[in-house]
Amino acid sequence: MFNVTAVLKRLVIGRAMRSDELHETLLPKRLALPIFASDPLSSVAYATQEILLVLTLGGLAYLHFTPWIAAAVVALMAVVVLSYRQVVHAYPSGGGSYEVVSTNLGPSAGLVVAASLLVDYVMTVAVSVASGVDNIISALPALAEHRVAMAIGFVALLTAVNLRGVRESGRAFAAPTYLFIGGILIMVVTGLIRYLLGDAPVAESAHYGIAPDPAEAHLTGLALLMLVLRAFSSGCTALTGVEAISNGVPAFRKPKSENAAATMTAMGVIAITMFAGVTVLALISKVHITDDACRLTGLRGDCESYTQRTVIAQLAASVFGGEHSVGFFFVQAATALVLVFAANTAFNGFPLLASILAQHRYLPRQMHSRGDRLAFSNGILALAVVAALLLWGYHANVTSLIHLYILGVFTAFTLSQLGMVRHWNRELRTERDPAVRRRYHFARVINGVGSLVTGLVLVIVLATKFTEGAWLAVLAAIVLWVMMRGIRRHYDAIAAELAVTDPHGELVAPSRVLGIVLVSTLHKPTLRALAYARAFHPDQLEALTVSVDRDEAAALRRQWEEYGIEVPLKVIDSPYREVTRPVVEYVRSIRRESPRDVVAVFIPEYVVGRWWENLLHNQSALWLKSRLLFTPGVMVISVPWQLTSSARADHPAARAPGSVRRGEPPTRAAHEHHRVRSRQP
């Protein structure tokens, strides 16, 4: 039977893949780079801009701090990349910062990292997509009124692509990432060559002045230091997503750790080169950008309606010959695409981390289940929904969203590097080879420096961004931490309750099995339920009906006797026209009289094919089951009767694979066993 939903699903997601095809989704380095590193690489598009936006709060007087702040960001990025290279070698199983911290600092600290990263992954999607939309609007200002719709549309597109699997998303996003890298490097090199030849590019905003914000004018001492630190913390957005490779080591081809480390190094070198180049070019071309266009002096026209171009847009226009040049549109298109697709880093990192947390019983186990394309579909959908709500709530405004950003990343950075220091301390206590000990000492120094530096940045970020909106990210991480602890306690309590303590005692059979078939009217489903109940050979079997109308009950009894049904029919009067309560009370009375007996209640049910038919049928059965399931010693057995409309339904049993799945693929041995059995006649 033709099913529109199934066809659309296959068109969007693709054919279902077998679990033993998982090895086909492993990534070579050329695809792993755009998948796991698109976020830190794309941060180049707005990291320099965020530094300038903070410094220009004081007008043009503090722009001379830009190169020093950029140098500090570059040094920090180098330290973090070196530190995470140690992580991918020491912990190749894919837990990244969460595994490092949980192993070395304890489960509670590990959950702090996990909660922080989950929040930051959501922010990565929101900020990246919003920033990409900003760049599109810079090239096509008429689209400004459709900002939110465009942002949510891009989230939906990313979701669909990622549901097709990791390898498919890598192929889709590889070209935009490499085009962006090429475009930015060509722009930087061209601009620097023009500068060296005496024809320095000039930004469209170079002739504007900037009036200082009254609260930030004439700063000195501690106030000036705080402004510089705020600019530094905003520039640290260039480091977001660096840890994603350490979370995704299992997705690499073998040798996994070596390939992941090589990809990490390539990402660091490319990101540092592009960030430094863009910052230098912005200073050369005298880009003047502010958070409020009305503070631009010399601006003609209405400042309220004036849309400032992004730093990248101004640089591309100044280097390639104006806003109508091919180079300008190429850089803007590549930047917009890579910023939107940078969210793909989060679409890979969030589901992987959520899967590991679910495996450790800190999140619902559904997060560990793989979908049709062997991707963690539930994690992908959860991330998309939360990010879309955030974009809608903040009107896809980058300036508003950026304050919620990077806090979680530096929490993970700091704790993971501290955890790695303890890891090397433990290794040094048992290692005796001098060469290996020297290597461990060097690695410990790298991680120690990384922990100190990122810890300092974390303090700066908290101090400068907390009141501007970062408190919401902190609150979200705390709520997540408490929730995950609660989920783990629940799973632990259930496991303890269900654990077998006395196998022989648990296997003791009941004294008797008493069967009850619920009857509302005498029709085919009732007869099937009676036949099914008799096939069980209970020690005692009876049919039970509730008399709401005496005439109907009398008619049912006459019909029962006419058909010569041997199962006795018991009628319970219900003067208040209730059905559920009399049945439940009758079953419980049997249990009280014979506590060692088991009562098996058989309920005839219709199976329908249309969703609205469920509203017309089975409501009494649903309520009865929900009440009876809470009664100890009572087994509730549904006896289905398929109506004609059910033939129209797309039966889960008729398609492969099923809609309910487990997270881990079968072992190779299990696959071989299945293959051998399938060959047997």
Side-chain angles (χ1 to χ4, degrees):
M1 185 70 69
F2 180 76
N3 189 301
V4 176
T5 305
V7 171
L8 287 175
K9 181 181 177 183
R10 288 294 163 252
L11 285 174
V12 174
I13 298 176
R15 70 168 183 86
M17 296 179 68
R18 292 173 56 89
S19 296
D20 50 57
E21 294 179 280
L22 184 62
H23 69 280
E24 296 180 12
T25 66
L26 298 180
L27 301 170
K29 294 191 288 294
R30 71 177 189 280
L31 291 181
L33 183 68
I35 288 177
F36 292 113
S38 56
D39 181 22
L41 292 176
S42 68
S43 298
V44 171
Y46 54 81
T48 299
Q49 178 171 308
E50 292 305 317
I51 294 173
L52 296 177
L53 284 172
V54 175
L55 291 178
T56 53
L57 289 172
L60 301 178
Y62 306 123
L63 287 182
H64 64 278
F65 288 111
T66 303
W68 301 103
I69 293 171
V73 172
V74 166
L76 179 61
M77 185 179 292
V79 169
V80 170
V81 168
L82 288 173
S83 299
Y84 270 99
R85 276 179 55 88
Q86 309 294 336
V87 172
V88 299
H89 283 295
Y91 293 90
S93 60
S97 298
Y98 165 70
E99 183 181 359
V100 172
V101 176
S102 296
T103 303
N104 296 288
L105 302 181
S108 294
L111 281 188
V112 171
V113 169
S116 301
L117 284 177
L118 290 176
V119 171
D120 223 68
Y121 281 135
V122 173
M123 294 311 308
T124 295
V125 175
V127 171
S128 296
V129 170
S131 187
V133 170
D134 262 3
N135 275 269
I136 293 173
I137 292 171
S138 288
L140 303 168
L143 296 175
E145 62 184 46
H146 304 294
R147 179 188 301 271
V148 175
M150 289 169 63
I152 293 176
F154 280 127
V155 171
L157 174 64
L158 286 163
T159 304
V161 174
N162 276 279
L163 287 173
R164 294 183 66 89
V166 176
R167 194 177 180 88
E168 292 283 341
S169 65
R171 287 171 176 162
F173 301 146
T177 303
Y178 287 122
L179 288 173
F180 171 73
I181 294 171
I184 294 297
L185 291 178
I186 291 171
M187 181 183 73
V188 169
V189 170
T190 305
L192 292 177
I193 290 174
R194 285 184 56 183
Y195 170 71
L196 294 174
L197 294 176
D199 180 28
V202 179
E204 65 183 42
S205 61
H207 62 281
Y208 295 144
I210 298 179
D213 188 296
E216 309 290 347
H218 310 297
L219 298 177
T220 58
L222 183 60
L224 179 58
L225 176 63
M226 289 302 296
L227 181 71
V228 172
L229 291 177
R230 281 171 60 191
F232 173 67
S233 65
S234 293
C236 286
T237 53
L239 278 76
T240 56
V242 170
E243 83 294 335
I245 291 176
S246 67
N247 290 334
V249 177
F252 283 80
R253 285 181 178 173
K254 293 180 180 180
K256 295 179 181 291
S257 294
E258 287 75 6
N259 287 335
T263 306
M264 179 81 73
T265 302
M267 176 208 68
V269 171
I270 295 170
I272 287 172
T273 302
M274 291 197 300
F275 171 70
V278 168
T279 304
V280 170
L281 203 57
L283 293 173
I284 290 173
S285 60
K286 295 182 172 56
V287 173
H288 295 162
I289 189 168
T290 178
D291 61 341
D292 181 5
C294 289
R295 290 201 292 113
L296 291 173
T297 59
L299 179 66
R300 295 177 182 178
D302 181 16
C303 65
E304 295 288 346
S305 60
Y306 178 73
T307 301
Q308 298 179 86
R309 294 190 192 275
T310 62
V311 168
I312 293 293
Q314 293 191 45
L315 292 179
S318 66
V319 169
F320 294 119
E323 62 186 44
H324 300 296
S325 63
V326 174
F328 170 78
F329 280 106
F330 175 81
V331 170
Q332 282 305 102
T335 302
L337 283 174
V338 82
L339 280 169
V340 171
F341 293 159
N344 194 58
T345 297
F347 272 101
N348 282 277
F350 183 100
L352 278 170
L353 179 58
S355 169
I356 293 169
L357 289 167
Q359 194 175 12
H360 294 171
R361 296 181 295 179
Y362 288 115
L363 284 179
R365 289 176 179 169
Q366 293 89 332
M367 289 294 183
H368 189 51
S369 300
R370 293 183 183 269
D372 282 359
R373 301 289 294 179
L374 300 178
F376 295 110
S377 304
N378 293 326
I380 292 171
L381 292 172
L383 173 62
V385 169
V386 177
L389 289 174
L390 204 59
L391 285 164
W392 176 75
Y394 281 85
H395 307 292
N397 186 292
V398 177
T399 304
S400 300
L401 290 166
I402 203 75
H403 297 305
L404 309 179
Y405 206 19
I406 78 172
L407 186 67
V409 166
F410 279 98
T411 302
F413 285 170
T414 303
L415 291 177
S416 66
Q417 300 318 306
L418 185 59
M420 285 301 295
V421 171
R422 297 192 70 173
H423 167 80
W424 297 125
N425 287 340
R426 187 171 60 251
E427 294 294 319
L428 284 166
R429 283 196 292 268
T430 58
E431 184 58 55
R432 294 292 177 263
D433 188 328
V436 176
R437 287 182 63 84
R438 281 194 299 271
R439 191 167 69 248
Y440 286 175
H441 277 295
F442 179 69
R444 184 174 64 176
V445 169
I446 291 174
N447 292 129
V449 172
S451 177
L452 289 173
V453 174
T454 55
L456 177 62
V457 175
L458 177 61
V459 172
I460 293 170
V461 170
L462 275 173
T464 57
K465 290 184 175 288
F466 189 82
T467 57
E468 296 180 356
W471 65 269
L472 187 58
V474 174
L475 179 62
I478 292 172
V479 170
L480 262 177
W481 187 87
V482 172
M483 183 190 74
M484 288 190 290
R485 295 269 296 188
I487 290 172
R488 176 59 188 263
R489 281 197 299 270
H490 169 77
Y491 278 135
D492 287 348
I494 295 299
E497 183 179 344
L498 300 182
V500 177
T501 55
D502 180 12
H504 298 291
E506 299 289 344
L507 289 173
V508 172
S511 298
R512 294 186 304 164
V513 176
L514 310 179
I516 298 175
V517 179
L518 299 185
V519 178
S520 59
T521 186
L522 191 53
H523 49 21
K524 290 180 179 179
T526 301
L527 296 177
R528 174 178 288 183
L530 287 167
Y532 189 70
R534 293 177 69 178
F536 266 72
H537 300 292
D539 296 283
Q540 179 181 320
L541 178 63
E542 65 180 357
L544 179 67
T545 189
V546 177
S547 173
V548 175
D549 184 300
R550 290 188 176 181
D551 293 338
E552 288 183 1
L556 175 63
R557 185 178 289 280
R558 285 195 300 271
Q559 195 175 13
W560 199 268
E561 292 171 354
E562 269 177 38
Y563 285 13
I565 299 173
E566 298 177 358
V567 177
L569 174 67
K570 183 175 182 61
V571 179
I572 303 176
D573 288 326
S574 179
Y576 294 101
R577 300 162 304 284
E578 289 184 294
V579 175
T580 304
R581 187 191 296 261
V583 171
V584 173
E585 288 180 351
Y586 177 72
V587 171
R588 287 177 176 173
S589 69
I590 295 175
R591 284 285 300 153
R592 284 193 297 269
E593 293 173 4
S594 308
R596 295 187 61 186
D597 294 346
V598 168
V599 180
V601 181
F602 298 84
I603 304 178
E605 286 189 66
Y606 302 140
V607 178
V608 298
R610 304 177 183 89
W611 66 268
W612 52 265
E613 289 180 298
N614 282 306
L615 302 176
L616 306 178
H617 305 285
N618 296 326
Q619 297 305 307
S620 297
L622 182 65
W623 281 105
L624 280 166
K625 283 196 292 186
S626 65
R627 294 288 302 277
L628 290 171
L629 287 173
F630 285 96
T631 306
V634 175
M635 310 301 155
V636 181
I637 303 166
S638 295
V639 183
W641 180 271
Q642 291 79 13
L643 296 176
T644 304
S645 65
S646 66
R648 300 166 55 89
D650 182 20
H651 300 289
R655 66 177 188 264
S659 58
V660 179
R661 304 175 178 85
R662 295 292 182 95
E664 292 300 320
T667 63
R668 182 177 296 274
H671 170 57
E672 290 298 322
H673 175 70
H674 168 77
R675 188 162 59 86
V676 171
R677 283 181 59 87
S678 65
R679 291 177 177 174
Q680 295 174 353

